[in-house]
Amino acid sequence: MPEAKSRKRKRGKKSGSKPQIQQQKEIKSNDVTKAKHGSQSNELAAASKRPKSSSSSSFLDKMKARLAGGHFRMLNETLYTCTGGEAFNYFTEDPSLFNMYHTGYQEQMSHWPEQPVNVIIKWLKDHNRSFIVADFGCGDARLAKNVKNKVFSFDLISKDPSVIACDMSKTPLDSSTVDVAVFCLSLMGTDYPSYLNEAQRVLKPGGWLLIAEVKSRFDPITGGADPNKFVKAISELGFTSVLKDFSNKMFILFHFQKKEKRESSKSKAIEWPELKPCLYKRR
């Protein structure tokens, strides 16, 4: 009997020791689980602090560029299909649109192998520095910033103290006070002849009219104006044609000189050709 009791006690001790071992295992298991969860949390926190991948940022940049490009194309089409007065009122009401337009314009120009404004700048540097210049549709006034001539810079909105905001058919200049009138990709309105009439008014006799325009606007095969009809109309306005240069792939150059006396025309009004809008394709 005593031996049986002792065996039971021994068995009892053995059976009582199992929960302690299991408890230790559970504690260790919980510690491991907590450690794993802690490690994962740290990894997630670190990941959230990491910079975004180049692919995602590149995607966002592309989306922003597309959005900006869409706004530019809309504004560009508006300028080509409204009058100068309407364009002036349009941008005066919301000047931020002018910034948006010129940002898109500069992006488009960055694809051109040669800038027409640089050609005109070179022409001015090769001629008399005392020439007074009127830059119709000056944009960022790049011409004025790169020559020593006195330059009156005109555009729809003034973001620079040197730029005069106005409808280009109604500048504040007095008659016969300018030696050179420049239109660099700026004959955009449906009433563009009114801009050229204004240039004729402010130019001195013998003064120069320099025009650079997108080449496709003067390609009759694709719906553009006949350049000969354009030259004829400006000649009837009181100018002599001096140069017509088609050598550049992107733009055409016209040089005219104001006649000393305009011939009195009692005949019918000048027939101005319609200039094809320059609408940029989606890239």
Side-chain angles (χ1 to χ4, degrees):
M1 293 294 292
E3 288 181 4
K5 287 181 181 179
S6 63
R7 284 177 185 173
K8 285 181 182 180
R9 286 175 188 170
K10 286 179 181 179
R11 285 176 185 173
K13 286 179 182 178
K14 286 181 182 179
S15 62
S17 63
K18 283 181 181 179
Q20 291 179 354
I21 294 170
Q22 288 176 354
Q23 188 176 6
Q24 289 174 355
K25 285 181 179 180
E26 288 174 1
I27 291 170
K28 287 181 180 179
S29 176
N30 289 336
D31 291 341
V32 170
T33 303
K34 288 179 182 179
K36 284 183 179 179
H37 283 303
S39 176
Q40 290 174 351
S41 298
N42 292 335
E43 287 177 4
L44 288 171
S48 65
K49 293 178 181 179
R50 288 175 196 150
K52 293 181 179 179
S53 67
S54 58
S55 60
S56 62
S57 60
S58 176
F59 174 75
L60 288 174
D61 290 339
K62 286 180 180 178
M63 291 301 294
K64 288 178 182 178
R66 282 187 180 182
L67 185 62
H71 286 154
F72 166 72
R73 286 188 293 275
M74 179 193 71
L75 293 171
N76 184 68
E77 184 173 351
T78 299
L79 287 173
Y80 274 108
T81 55
C82 71
T83 66
E86 289 169 342
F88 179 66
N89 293 333
Y90 184 64
F91 282 115
T92 300
E93 290 175 4
D94 190 352
S96 66
L97 296 177
F98 189 76
N99 293 335
M100 191 181 297
Y101 169 77
H102 272 283
T103 299
Y105 172 82
Q106 293 298 338
E107 197 280 329
Q108 291 290 337
M109 287 294 100
S110 68
H111 299 286
W112 286 30
E114 185 175 25
Q115 303 293 315
V117 67
N118 291 338
V119 177
I120 294 172
I121 287 170
K122 184 180 183 305
W123 188 94
L124 287 170
K125 287 181 176 180
D126 290 342
H127 287 73
N128 197 330
R129 291 182 179 177
S130 66
F131 279 171
I132 298 173
V133 182
D135 186 5
F136 290 79
C138 65
D140 57 2
R142 183 174 177 180
L143 189 149
K145 294 172 183 176
N146 285 276
V147 297
K148 294 184 178 181
N149 304 69
K150 169 65 178 176
V151 179
F152 292 99
S153 301
F154 301 107
D155 217 319
L156 298 170
I157 292 292
S158 174
K159 292 294 182 180
D160 186 295
S162 66
V163 177
I164 300 169
C166 67
D167 175 353
M168 293 191 300
S169 66
K170 301 172 183 176
T171 69
L173 295 175
D174 291 331
S175 298
S176 303
T177 54
V178 171
D179 298 289
V180 184
V182 174
F183 289 89
C184 186
L185 308 181
S186 55
L187 293 177
M188 301 181 72
T190 55
D191 60 341
Y192 79 88
S194 65
Y195 309 158
L196 295 171
N197 272 290
E198 179 68 356
Q200 196 275 344
R201 182 186 72 81
V202 302
L203 276 170
K204 299 174 183 177
W208 290 89
L209 172 62
L210 309 182
I211 299 173
E213 263 304 334
V214 179
K215 198 170 187 177
S216 62
R217 301 189 78 194
F218 292 92
D219 184 358
I221 298 174
T222 59
D226 183 340
N228 293 322
K229 290 182 178 179
F230 181 73
V231 170
K232 183 176 182 291
I234 293 182
S235 297
E236 291 177 2
L237 187 61
F239 289 89
T240 299
S241 176
V242 178
L243 173 73
K244 185 172 63 176
D245 185 356
F246 277 86
S247 62
N248 193 281
K249 180 182 177 181
M250 306 302 291
F251 58 88
I252 183 174
L253 288 169
F254 296 99
H255 290 183
F256 298 91
Q257 201 163 13
K258 184 177 176 178
K259 296 175 181 177
E260 293 295 328
K261 286 186 178 181
R262 183 177 178 181
E263 298 174 2
S264 58
S265 57
K266 294 181 180 179
S267 58
K268 60 181 180 179
I270 298 172
E271 293 184 9
W272 291 95
E274 182 179 348
L275 295 186
K276 174 184 175 182
C278 179
L279 306 180
Y280 293 94
K281 295 179 181 179
R282 182 174 180 177
R283 290 185 175 275

